[in-house]
Amino acid sequence: MRKTMLHLDKALSEGERERFCARLQGEGVTCEAATASMKPHLIFIGYDENRTAPHELVRMAADAGVVARVIDL
C-alpha cells in the first residue's frame, strides 16, 4: 500500500471529510485517520498502486465534488 497526501481546494468539515473518505473507500482507497493532518484541507490516504494511479485519485476527488492535488510523500 502506497501512502500519499491530497491537498484539497477547501477545508472540509468533519461530516464532509467522513463522506469524502467513505466515497474513496468505495473505490479501494483508505483515509489515514491515524496520521490526520492538523490542516483540514490536507488528507493522508493509502492506496494500492497496482490498482490505482495518482491521477485517478484526483479524478475520484473530482467525482466527489472536491478539487484535489496529489502531494507525493
Side-chain angles (χ1 to χ4, degrees):
M1 173 138 328
R2 183 174 178 102
K3 294 185 180 182
T4 194
M5 181 189 305
L6 289 182
H7 178 275
L8 309 179
D9 67 331
K10 61 181 180 178
L12 300 181
S13 69
E14 186 66 31
E16 290 171 322
R17 181 180 288 263
E18 287 175 11
R19 286 187 294 280
F20 179 69
C21 287
R23 181 139 184 189
L24 291 181
Q25 288 173 346
E27 300 211 39
V29 177
T30 59
C31 292
E32 302 287 327
T35 54
S37 173
M38 296 301 289
K39 298 180 179 180
H41 65 284
L42 300 175
I43 296 181
F44 289 95
I45 59 167
Y47 66 99
D48 180 350
E49 60 190 325
N50 293 317
R51 291 181 11 161
T52 305
H55 69 275
E56 291 173 326
L57 299 172
V58 173
R59 179 204 42 87
M60 289 176 200
D63 289 349
V66 178
V67 176
R69 286 178 268 164
V70 174
I71 300 175
D72 199 15
L73 302 176

